[in-house]
Amino acid sequence: MITVKKPVQKIISDISKNLGIDEKFVKEKLKDLIVPVERNLYVESNKCIRCELCYEMCPVDAIKEPSVKSPAEILPEKCVKCEICAKTCPVGAINVLEGRAKLEEDNVVYELKEIDVTHRKIRLVKHELDEESCIKCGICERFCPTSAITVEKRNSIDINLNLCMGCTACEKVCPKSAIKVENEMGEITAENEISLNNDTCINCMVCSEICPVGAIVYEDGLMKLDDKMCIFCGKCEKNCPVTAIAIKQKNM
């Protein structure tokens, strides 16, 4: 847990100056300030192995494709915080931070903590190396997270499949496409459950319009929810005008 304090008067002065609002009005509005818990995701660039799994699995195209020179990058304006990328990353390079702000005496207190996520399993099925195409450059060795690849530059390459996790990083960074990897991805553990109350629902279709994966549709006079398609981003719950949708943590 990281806690940061900032003087209220400094915040009031900044808001008043930037927006041209009287300080007394700003102070009144901040009196009962409590910012709801929000989650944000970020990539630890030094950990990213360029496997592209987060990029491939993101349901809303919110991740910039990585390259040998650049790690994956989350695009905040597109991200819906479903955490699929964090749960898919085979090396834990994507972190989830939970934060909130509250007013305590003369300070605004910001609290940040890192959230543990359950990672899906990845298993190697098949690994192929085209010896004739391979130039023994060593890039695959550089990004292999389990040290399964050993390269003597321009001379030899050795791959220990007992160490290989099937992350596909070597395939993605190979400049000659000399490596092909087939893996098996496990299911993402659903930690939440979602429900739609049709007795409360007014069929305004806001949920259907805002759902990024089309998990809610209007059929036969009712809104219907496909909980297997749902990525639990929470957009429908937050925007439903009659609170007919609820996302709750499962009883594990």
Side-chain angles (χ1 to χ4, degrees):
M1 172 82 77
I2 298 172
T3 302
V4 179
K5 291 184 178 181
K6 192 168 183 178
V8 172
Q9 188 54 50
K10 177 68 168 66
I11 295 174
I12 290 174
S13 297
D14 288 345
I15 294 174
S16 176
K17 181 179 178 181
N18 292 332
L19 299 181
I21 302 172
D22 184 76
E23 286 194 9
K24 289 184 179 180
F25 179 80
V26 176
K27 188 174 183 178
E28 184 65 28
K29 291 297 181 183
L30 289 179
K31 186 172 60 176
D32 300 316
L33 172 70
I34 294 181
V35 176
V37 173
E38 289 286 346
R39 289 193 176 188
N40 289 288
L41 294 86
Y42 72 97
V43 179
E44 278 190 74
S45 57
N46 63 323
K47 281 188 177 183
C48 177
I49 58 173
R50 292 18 176 212
C51 65
E52 298 185 14
L53 293 179
C54 60
Y55 169 75
E56 294 169 354
M57 296 297 166
C58 178
V60 294
D61 299 323
I63 298 180
K64 184 179 178 181
E65 185 177 8
S67 67
V68 172
K69 293 183 178 180
S70 303
E73 180 184 344
I74 295 174
L75 306 174
E77 68 275 12
K78 290 186 175 182
C79 180
V80 295
K81 303 172 187 177
C82 64
E83 301 175 18
I84 288 174
C85 58
K87 294 176 180 179
T88 298
C89 180
V91 293
I94 301 179
N95 297 311
V96 181
L97 280 181
E98 189 173 86
R100 63 175 292 167
K102 58 185 177 180
L103 194 62
E104 285 186 1
E105 298 180 352
D106 295 328
N107 296 298
V108 172
V109 179
Y110 300 89
E111 294 178 343
L112 289 172
K113 64 178 179 179
E114 192 169 323
I115 303 298
D116 291 329
V117 297
T118 303
H119 289 82
R120 69 199 304 181
K121 294 180 180 179
I122 302 173
R123 184 179 69 86
L124 173 68
V125 175
K126 189 176 183 181
H127 195 293
E128 295 180 347
L129 171 67
D130 184 341
E131 290 274 7
E132 292 185 4
S133 298
C134 178
I135 58 174
K136 284 77 176 178
C137 63
I139 294 177
C140 55
E141 178 186 31
R142 174 183 162 196
F143 287 102
C144 178
T146 59
S147 301
I149 303 175
T150 304
V151 177
E152 186 179 338
K153 285 191 177 181
R154 310 301 177 192
N155 187 29
S156 66
I157 180 171
D158 179 69
I159 301 175
N160 184 344
L161 295 183
N162 290 324
L163 295 177
C164 179
M165 67 189 299
C167 68
T168 75
C170 56
E171 175 184 330
K172 300 297 172 49
V173 300
C174 179
K176 294 296 182 179
S177 300
I179 299 176
K180 299 295 179 186
V181 180
E182 183 182 341
N183 62 17
E184 185 176 85
M185 303 282 290
E187 294 294 323
I188 292 178
T189 302
E191 298 167 352
N192 297 313
E193 55 188 5
I194 186 169
S195 62
L196 192 161
N197 187 337
N198 282 113
D199 292 332
T200 304
C201 178
I202 57 174
N203 296 335
C204 66
M205 291 189 272
V206 168
C207 56
S208 179
E209 293 170 358
I210 207 168
C211 178
V213 294
I216 307 177
V217 296
Y218 182 69
E219 287 182 0
D220 303 323
L222 294 173
M223 300 306 300
K224 294 185 179 180
L225 168 67
D226 186 340
D227 57 2
K228 290 184 172 57
M229 285 182 64
C230 178
I231 58 174
F232 303 100
C233 66
K235 293 186 75 172
C236 58
E237 181 185 36
K238 290 176 183 176
N239 288 277
C240 177
V242 292
T243 62
I245 298 176
I247 296 177
K248 296 179 180 179
Q249 191 169 17
K250 280 185 175 180
N251 295 321
M252 306 300 284

